[in-house]
Amino acid sequence: MVSKIESAFNEQLNAELFSSYLYLSMAAYFESQNLKGMAQWMRMQVQEENMHAMKFFGFINERGGRVTLGKIKEPKTEWSSPLEVFEDTCQHEAKVTSLVNDLVDLAIKEKDHAANGFLQWFVTEQVEEEATVQEIRDKLKLVSDNPVAMFMIDQELGQRPVPPAPTAQA
Ligand code: FEO
């Protein structure tokens, strides 16, 4: 594994762990607002991000690289509404998509076909992640401050199933 790819993948591992930490912070906010379904949805998202991080952990090791863990940035802790949380989530996922795209560009530049193949899972995953959070954001925009509709969205989001266990393989 060339060192440029190794260090970029370690940075992405850190970014995935930050995503997990950010969503855990959002879960804490929802708990504080007694929005248990949204808190549960965010807990599932935390597991999903941990799974993403572990994919990078596995791949770096499989390719003979060295995983080095750095500091995880402090996440935001307060929001003014569920809509603001999901607006932030949309922005965050768009940022992650651009990070993944940059990694693909690097893998192509370095002619690392294995890394490029591995990253294609994330390219597809980001399409799904962005679509899912945009749909929730749009629903929240529609309901505005209607408490009954908010209750129903909270119930719906609480049904999110547990994501698959982490694997080293994409
Ligand atoms: Fe790991 Fe939400 O992207």
Side-chain angles (χ1 to χ4, degrees):
M1 176 172 235
V2 297
S3 70
K4 269 189 201 166
I5 301 271
E6 180 185 282
S7 77
F9 272 41
N10 270 300
E11 275 175 36
Q12 189 62 27
L13 201 173
N14 184 278
E16 300 292 347
L17 290 174
F18 172 71
S19 297
S20 168
Y21 210 32
L22 175 65
Y23 295 138
L24 189 60
S25 187
M26 289 172 173
Y29 163 77
F30 285 131
E31 289 285 352
S32 77
Q33 301 297 303
N34 218 17
L35 289 162
K36 300 283 185 194
M38 293 187 197
Q40 175 66 6
W41 193 94
M42 282 297 170
R43 271 204 204 89
M44 295 301 107
Q45 190 65 15
V46 166
Q47 289 193 33
E48 187 96 22
E49 298 301 347
N50 287 341
M51 181 263 282
H52 295 172
M54 290 312 293
K55 278 184 183 286
F56 279 96
F57 185 95
F59 185 79
I60 294 166
N61 285 312
E62 265 184 355
R63 301 292 292 160
R66 172 74 164 94
V67 170
T68 45
L69 299 179
K71 196 186 273 185
I72 301 171
K73 209 168 57 170
E74 198 173 307
K76 181 170 167 177
T77 55
E78 293 300 334
W79 288 267
S80 60
S81 65
L83 176 58
E84 196 198 351
V85 175
F86 276 94
E87 275 171 343
D88 279 8
T89 303
C90 287
Q91 271 183 22
H92 182 70
E93 287 301 332
K95 167 89 178 132
V96 172
T97 298
S98 81
L99 293 176
V100 169
N101 289 340
D102 288 349
L103 290 176
V104 172
D105 288 346
L106 179 67
I108 291 169
K109 189 165 161 266
E110 295 296 322
K111 297 187 168 59
D112 189 335
H113 301 291
N116 188 13
F118 167 82
L119 289 166
Q120 293 310 309
W121 184 90
F122 284 88
V123 170
T124 307
E125 174 75 356
Q126 282 310 118
V127 173
E128 190 191 310
E129 292 245 307
E130 285 199 64
T132 305
V133 293
Q134 283 166 8
E135 193 186 317
I136 299 169
R137 177 203 58 196
D138 293 346
K139 268 189 199 168
L140 288 167
K141 263 190 195 159
L142 277 177
V143 306
S144 188
D145 288 332
N146 182 321
V148 177
M150 190 64 83
F151 174 79
M152 287 174 72
I153 293 178
D154 189 56
Q155 294 279 302
E156 185 193 326
L157 293 184
Q159 303 304 313
R160 181 177 179 177
V162 177
T167 59
Q169 297 298 315

